[in-house]
PDB file of all heavy atoms in Angstrom:
ATOM      1  N   PHE A   7      -2.257 -14.912  -7.347  1.00 98.00           N
ATOM      2  CA  PHE A   7      -1.893 -13.994  -8.434  1.00 98.00           C
ATOM      3  C   PHE A   7      -1.879 -12.588  -7.831  1.00 98.00           C
ATOM      4  O   PHE A   7      -2.826 -12.192  -7.159  1.00 98.00           O
ATOM      5  CB  PHE A   7      -2.939 -14.073  -9.548  1.00 98.00           C
ATOM      6  CG  PHE A   7      -2.514 -13.392 -10.828  1.00 98.00           C
ATOM      7  CD1 PHE A   7      -2.118 -14.147 -11.929  1.00 98.00           C
ATOM      8  CD2 PHE A   7      -2.503 -12.008 -10.939  1.00 98.00           C
ATOM      9  CE1 PHE A   7      -1.724 -13.528 -13.116  1.00 98.00           C
ATOM     10  CE2 PHE A   7      -2.103 -11.381 -12.105  1.00 98.00           C
ATOM     11  CZ  PHE A   7      -1.713 -12.140 -13.208  1.00 98.00           C
ATOM     12  N   ILE A   8      -0.791 -11.846  -8.057  1.00 98.00           N
ATOM     13  CA  ILE A   8      -0.720 -10.490  -7.486  1.00 98.00           C
ATOM     14  C   ILE A   8      -0.404  -9.487  -8.584  1.00 98.00           C
ATOM     15  O   ILE A   8       0.581  -9.632  -9.313  1.00 98.00           O
ATOM     16  CB  ILE A   8       0.299 -10.426  -6.308  1.00 98.00           C
ATOM     17  CG1 ILE A   8       0.393  -9.016  -5.733  1.00 98.00           C
ATOM     18  CG2 ILE A   8       1.677 -10.942  -6.695  1.00 98.00           C
ATOM     19  CD1 ILE A   8       1.053  -8.958  -4.356  1.00 98.00           C
ATOM     20  N   SER A   9      -1.264  -8.473  -8.709  1.00 98.00           N
ATOM     21  CA  SER A   9      -0.991  -7.414  -9.694  1.00 98.00           C
ATOM     22  C   SER A   9      -0.048  -6.395  -9.061  1.00 98.00           C
ATOM     23  O   SER A   9      -0.009  -6.235  -7.840  1.00 98.00           O
ATOM     24  CB  SER A   9      -2.306  -6.746 -10.135  1.00 98.00           C
ATOM     25  OG  SER A   9      -2.822  -5.970  -9.067  1.00 98.00           O
ATOM     26  N   GLY A  10       0.712  -5.706  -9.928  1.00 98.00           N
ATOM     27  CA  GLY A  10       1.645  -4.690  -9.415  1.00 98.00           C
ATOM     28  C   GLY A  10       2.781  -5.314  -8.620  1.00 98.00           C
ATOM     29  O   GLY A  10       3.207  -4.767  -7.590  1.00 98.00           O
ATOM     30  N   ALA A  11       3.301  -6.446  -9.121  1.00 98.00           N
ATOM     31  CA  ALA A  11       4.297  -7.221  -8.356  1.00 98.00           C
ATOM     32  C   ALA A  11       5.592  -6.459  -8.109  1.00 98.00           C
ATOM     33  O   ALA A  11       6.339  -6.800  -7.197  1.00 98.00           O
ATOM     34  CB  ALA A  11       4.594  -8.535  -9.076  1.00 98.00           C
ATOM     35  N   THR A  12       5.867  -5.438  -8.917  1.00 98.00           N
ATOM     36  CA  THR A  12       7.105  -4.662  -8.730  1.00 98.00           C
ATOM     37  C   THR A  12       7.005  -3.698  -7.548  1.00 98.00           C
ATOM     38  O   THR A  12       8.005  -3.103  -7.161  1.00 98.00           O
ATOM     39  CB  THR A  12       7.382  -3.801  -9.984  1.00 98.00           C
ATOM     40  OG1 THR A  12       6.170  -3.094 -10.297  1.00 98.00           O
ATOM     41  CG2 THR A  12       7.831  -4.644 -11.163  1.00 98.00           C
ATOM     42  N   GLY A  32       3.196 -13.096 -10.382  1.00 98.00           N
ATOM     43  CA  GLY A  32       3.166 -11.639 -10.271  1.00 98.00           C
ATOM     44  C   GLY A  32       2.905 -10.993 -11.623  1.00 98.00           C
ATOM     45  O   GLY A  32       3.510 -11.387 -12.622  1.00 98.00           O
ATOM     46  N   GLN A  33       1.993 -10.029 -11.640  1.00 98.00           N
ATOM     47  CA  GLN A  33       1.772  -9.264 -12.889  1.00 98.00           C
ATOM     48  C   GLN A  33       2.731  -8.094 -12.928  1.00 98.00           C
ATOM     49  O   GLN A  33       2.884  -7.368 -11.932  1.00 98.00           O
ATOM     50  CB  GLN A  33       0.315  -8.772 -12.972  1.00 98.00           C
ATOM     51  CG  GLN A  33       0.016  -7.826 -14.138  1.00 98.00           C
ATOM     52  CD  GLN A  33       0.205  -6.352 -13.781  1.00 98.00           C
ATOM     53  OE1 GLN A  33       0.027  -5.973 -12.618  1.00 98.00           O
ATOM     54  NE2 GLN A  33       0.577  -5.519 -14.742  1.00 98.00           N
ATOM     55  N   VAL A  34       3.393  -7.931 -14.070  1.00 98.00           N
ATOM     56  CA  VAL A  34       4.305  -6.794 -14.282  1.00 98.00           C
ATOM     57  C   VAL A  34       3.973  -6.159 -15.629  1.00 98.00           C
ATOM     58  O   VAL A  34       3.189  -6.709 -16.402  1.00 98.00           O
ATOM     59  CB  VAL A  34       5.784  -7.257 -14.276  1.00 98.00           C
ATOM     60  CG1 VAL A  34       6.202  -7.758 -12.894  1.00 98.00           C
ATOM     61  CG2 VAL A  34       6.032  -8.342 -15.319  1.00 98.00           C
ATOM     62  N   ARG A  35       4.619  -5.003 -15.898  1.00 98.00           N
ATOM     63  CA  ARG A  35       4.323  -4.331 -17.170  1.00 98.00           C
ATOM     64  C   ARG A  35       5.354  -4.614 -18.263  1.00 98.00           C
ATOM     65  O   ARG A  35       5.172  -4.202 -19.397  1.00 98.00           O
ATOM     66  CB  ARG A  35       4.198  -2.828 -16.939  1.00 98.00           C
ATOM     67  CG  ARG A  35       2.977  -2.501 -16.094  1.00 98.00           C
ATOM     68  CD  ARG A  35       2.529  -1.094 -16.275  1.00 98.00           C
ATOM     69  NE  ARG A  35       3.158  -0.160 -15.347  1.00 98.00           N
ATOM     70  CZ  ARG A  35       2.860   1.113 -15.288  1.00 98.00           C
ATOM     71  NH1 ARG A  35       1.961   1.624 -16.103  1.00 98.00           N
ATOM     72  NH2 ARG A  35       3.461   1.891 -14.419  1.00 98.00           N
ATOM     73  N   SER A  36       6.482  -5.264 -17.899  1.00 98.00           N
ATOM     74  CA  SER A  36       7.484  -5.580 -18.929  1.00 98.00           C
ATOM     75  C   SER A  36       8.291  -6.799 -18.503  1.00 98.00           C
ATOM     76  O   SER A  36       8.387  -7.099 -17.299  1.00 98.00           O
ATOM     77  CB  SER A  36       8.429  -4.393 -19.130  1.00 98.00           C
ATOM     78  OG  SER A  36       9.289  -4.280 -18.014  1.00 98.00           O
ATOM     79  N   SER A  37       8.895  -7.460 -19.490  1.00 98.00           N
ATOM     80  CA  SER A  37       9.701  -8.651 -19.155  1.00 98.00           C
ATOM     81  C   SER A  37      10.960  -8.236 -18.399  1.00 98.00           C
ATOM     82  O   SER A  37      11.443  -8.978 -17.549  1.00 98.00           O
ATOM     83  CB  SER A  37      10.050  -9.452 -20.403  1.00 98.00           C
ATOM     84  OG  SER A  37      10.723  -8.626 -21.305  1.00 98.00           O
ATOM     85  N   ALA A  38      11.479  -7.043 -18.663  1.00 97.00           N
ATOM     86  CA  ALA A  38      12.679  -6.592 -17.934  1.00 97.00           C
ATOM     87  C   ALA A  38      12.356  -6.526 -16.440  1.00 97.00           C
ATOM     88  O   ALA A  38      13.131  -6.996 -15.593  1.00 97.00           O
ATOM     89  CB  ALA A  38      13.126  -5.229 -18.453  1.00 97.00           C
ATOM     90  N   LYS A  39      11.186  -5.959 -16.111  1.00 97.00           N
ATOM     91  CA  LYS A  39      10.799  -5.865 -14.684  1.00 97.00           C
ATOM     92  C   LYS A  39      10.568  -7.258 -14.102  1.00 97.00           C
ATOM     93  O   LYS A  39      10.952  -7.547 -12.973  1.00 97.00           O
ATOM     94  CB  LYS A  39       9.540  -5.016 -14.534  1.00 97.00           C
ATOM     95  CG  LYS A  39       9.808  -3.536 -14.813  1.00 97.00           C
ATOM     96  CD  LYS A  39       8.588  -2.667 -14.577  1.00 97.00           C
ATOM     97  CE  LYS A  39       8.939  -1.213 -14.867  1.00 97.00           C
ATOM     98  NZ  LYS A  39       7.920  -0.261 -14.494  1.00 97.00           N
ATOM     99  N   GLY A  40       9.943  -8.135 -14.882  1.00 98.00           N
ATOM    100  CA  GLY A  40       9.681  -9.499 -14.405  1.00 98.00           C
ATOM    101  C   GLY A  40      10.975 -10.259 -14.165  1.00 98.00           C
ATOM    102  O   GLY A  40      11.109 -10.977 -13.165  1.00 98.00           O
ATOM    103  N   ASP A  41      11.945 -10.087 -15.080  1.00 97.00           N
ATOM    104  CA  ASP A  41      13.222 -10.808 -14.930  1.00 97.00           C
ATOM    105  C   ASP A  41      13.968 -10.335 -13.686  1.00 97.00           C
ATOM    106  O   ASP A  41      14.566 -11.131 -12.962  1.00 97.00           O
ATOM    107  CB  ASP A  41      14.099 -10.616 -16.178  1.00 97.00           C
ATOM    108  CG  ASP A  41      13.514 -11.345 -17.386  1.00 97.00           C
ATOM    109  OD1 ASP A  41      12.640 -12.214 -17.187  1.00 97.00           O
ATOM    110  OD2 ASP A  41      13.917 -11.027 -18.520  1.00 97.00           O
ATOM    111  N   LEU A  43      12.638  -9.146 -10.980  1.00 97.00           N
ATOM    112  CA  LEU A  43      11.950  -9.715  -9.802  1.00 97.00           C
ATOM    113  C   LEU A  43      12.291 -11.187  -9.620  1.00 97.00           C
ATOM    114  O   LEU A  43      12.558 -11.636  -8.503  1.00 97.00           O
ATOM    115  CB  LEU A  43      10.431  -9.601  -9.976  1.00 97.00           C
ATOM    116  CG  LEU A  43       9.764  -8.274  -9.676  1.00 97.00           C
ATOM    117  CD1 LEU A  43       8.252  -8.448  -9.751  1.00 97.00           C
ATOM    118  CD2 LEU A  43      10.154  -7.751  -8.296  1.00 97.00           C
ATOM    119  N   PHE A  52       7.960 -18.724  -7.760  1.00 98.00           N
ATOM    120  CA  PHE A  52       7.563 -17.408  -8.283  1.00 98.00           C
ATOM    121  C   PHE A  52       7.705 -17.393  -9.798  1.00 98.00           C
ATOM    122  O   PHE A  52       8.723 -17.818 -10.344  1.00 98.00           O
ATOM    123  CB  PHE A  52       8.431 -16.282  -7.698  1.00 98.00           C
ATOM    124  CG  PHE A  52       8.106 -14.931  -8.325  1.00 98.00           C
ATOM    125  CD1 PHE A  52       6.998 -14.214  -7.903  1.00 98.00           C
ATOM    126  CD2 PHE A  52       8.882 -14.418  -9.360  1.00 98.00           C
ATOM    127  CE1 PHE A  52       6.665 -12.987  -8.502  1.00 98.00           C
ATOM    128  CE2 PHE A  52       8.556 -13.198  -9.966  1.00 98.00           C
ATOM    129  CZ  PHE A  52       7.446 -12.490  -9.527  1.00 98.00           C
ATOM    130  N   SER A  53       6.672 -16.879 -10.462  1.00 98.00           N
ATOM    131  CA  SER A  53       6.778 -16.631 -11.906  1.00 98.00           C
ATOM    132  C   SER A  53       6.029 -15.336 -12.188  1.00 98.00           C
ATOM    133  O   SER A  53       5.357 -14.792 -11.310  1.00 98.00           O
ATOM    134  CB  SER A  53       6.167 -17.788 -12.701  1.00 98.00           C
ATOM    135  OG  SER A  53       4.800 -17.900 -12.378  1.00 98.00           O
ATOM    136  N   TYR A  54       6.183 -14.823 -13.403  1.00 98.00           N
ATOM    137  CA  TYR A  54       5.477 -13.566 -13.702  1.00 98.00           C
ATOM    138  C   TYR A  54       4.720 -13.644 -15.020  1.00 98.00           C
ATOM    139  O   TYR A  54       5.018 -14.479 -15.874  1.00 98.00           O
ATOM    140  CB  TYR A  54       6.448 -12.378 -13.699  1.00 98.00           C
ATOM    141  CG  TYR A  54       7.419 -12.319 -14.863  1.00 98.00           C
ATOM    142  CD1 TYR A  54       7.049 -11.764 -16.092  1.00 98.00           C
ATOM    143  CD2 TYR A  54       8.715 -12.804 -14.729  1.00 98.00           C
ATOM    144  CE1 TYR A  54       7.945 -11.708 -17.152  1.00 98.00           C
ATOM    145  CE2 TYR A  54       9.610 -12.750 -15.781  1.00 98.00           C
ATOM    146  CZ  TYR A  54       9.217 -12.206 -17.001  1.00 98.00           C
ATOM    147  OH  TYR A  54      10.097 -12.167 -18.046  1.00 98.00           O
ATOM    148  N   GLU A  55       3.761 -12.771 -15.153  1.00 98.00           N
ATOM    149  CA  GLU A  55       3.006 -12.600 -16.394  1.00 98.00           C
ATOM    150  C   GLU A  55       2.963 -11.113 -16.711  1.00 98.00           C
ATOM    151  O   GLU A  55       2.942 -10.281 -15.788  1.00 98.00           O
ATOM    152  CB  GLU A  55       1.555 -13.110 -16.241  1.00 98.00           C
ATOM    153  CG  GLU A  55       1.422 -14.615 -16.095  1.00 98.00           C
ATOM    154  CD  GLU A  55       1.755 -15.399 -17.382  1.00 98.00           C
ATOM    155  OE1 GLU A  55       1.911 -14.756 -18.452  1.00 98.00           O
ATOM    156  OE2 GLU A  55       1.870 -16.627 -17.300  1.00 98.00           O
ATOM    157  N   ILE A  56       2.943 -10.809 -18.003  1.00 98.00           N
ATOM    158  CA  ILE A  56       2.924  -9.400 -18.397  1.00 98.00           C
ATOM    159  C   ILE A  56       1.500  -8.962 -18.767  1.00 98.00           C
ATOM    160  O   ILE A  56       0.844  -9.602 -19.588  1.00 98.00           O
ATOM    161  CB  ILE A  56       3.858  -9.162 -19.599  1.00 98.00           C
ATOM    162  CG1 ILE A  56       5.291  -9.527 -19.202  1.00 98.00           C
ATOM    163  CG2 ILE A  56       3.785  -7.713 -20.093  1.00 98.00           C
ATOM    164  CD1 ILE A  56       6.262  -9.554 -20.351  1.00 98.00           C
ATOM    165  N   VAL A  57       1.050  -7.903 -18.110  1.00 97.00           N
ATOM    166  CA  VAL A  57      -0.165  -7.198 -18.554  1.00 97.00           C
ATOM    167  C   VAL A  57       0.263  -5.744 -18.599  1.00 97.00           C
ATOM    168  O   VAL A  57       0.605  -5.159 -17.565  1.00 97.00           O
ATOM    169  CB  VAL A  57      -1.356  -7.381 -17.575  1.00 97.00           C
ATOM    170  CG1 VAL A  57      -2.546  -6.528 -18.014  1.00 97.00           C
ATOM    171  CG2 VAL A  57      -1.766  -8.846 -17.480  1.00 97.00           C
ATOM    172  N   LYS A  58       0.273  -5.182 -19.812  1.00 96.00           N
ATOM    173  CA  LYS A  58       0.865  -3.837 -19.940  1.00 96.00           C
ATOM    174  C   LYS A  58      -0.068  -2.725 -19.500  1.00 96.00           C
ATOM    175  O   LYS A  58       0.358  -1.750 -18.892  1.00 96.00           O
ATOM    176  CB  LYS A  58       1.278  -3.607 -21.402  1.00 96.00           C
ATOM    177  CG  LYS A  58       2.530  -4.385 -21.763  1.00 96.00           C
ATOM    178  CD  LYS A  58       3.105  -3.906 -23.083  1.00 96.00           C
ATOM    179  CE  LYS A  58       4.353  -4.715 -23.405  1.00 96.00           C
ATOM    180  NZ  LYS A  58       4.462  -5.077 -24.800  1.00 96.00           N
ATOM    181  N   VAL A  59      -1.349  -2.846 -19.858  1.00 95.00           N
ATOM    182  CA  VAL A  59      -2.271  -1.735 -19.583  1.00 95.00           C
ATOM    183  C   VAL A  59      -3.483  -2.229 -18.794  1.00 95.00           C
ATOM    184  O   VAL A  59      -4.349  -2.913 -19.334  1.00 95.00           O
ATOM    185  CB  VAL A  59      -2.734  -1.066 -20.912  1.00 95.00           C
ATOM    186  CG1 VAL A  59      -3.562   0.182 -20.632  1.00 95.00           C
ATOM    187  CG2 VAL A  59      -1.534  -0.718 -21.785  1.00 95.00           C
ATOM    188  N   PHE A  66      -6.912  -8.807 -18.259  1.00 97.00           N
ATOM    189  CA  PHE A  66      -6.423  -9.959 -17.480  1.00 97.00           C
ATOM    190  C   PHE A  66      -6.999 -11.298 -17.961  1.00 97.00           C
ATOM    191  O   PHE A  66      -6.670 -12.342 -17.401  1.00 97.00           O
ATOM    192  CB  PHE A  66      -6.739  -9.755 -15.984  1.00 97.00           C
ATOM    193  CG  PHE A  66      -5.811  -8.767 -15.327  1.00 97.00           C
ATOM    194  CD1 PHE A  66      -6.041  -7.401 -15.417  1.00 97.00           C
ATOM    195  CD2 PHE A  66      -4.681  -9.199 -14.640  1.00 97.00           C
ATOM    196  CE1 PHE A  66      -5.174  -6.481 -14.838  1.00 97.00           C
ATOM    197  CE2 PHE A  66      -3.805  -8.292 -14.052  1.00 97.00           C
ATOM    198  CZ  PHE A  66      -4.051  -6.926 -14.160  1.00 97.00           C
TER     199      PHE A  66
END
Side-chain angles (χ1 to χ4, degrees):
F7 192 105
I8 179 164
S9 71
T12 50
Q33 173 269 331
V34 293
R35 293 202 270 183
S36 72
S37 57
K39 289 184 180 189
D41 291 344
L43 280 187
F52 175 80
S53 61
Y54 71 83
E55 291 290 350
I56 299 170
V57 175
K58 286 193 180 139
V59 186
F66 284 83

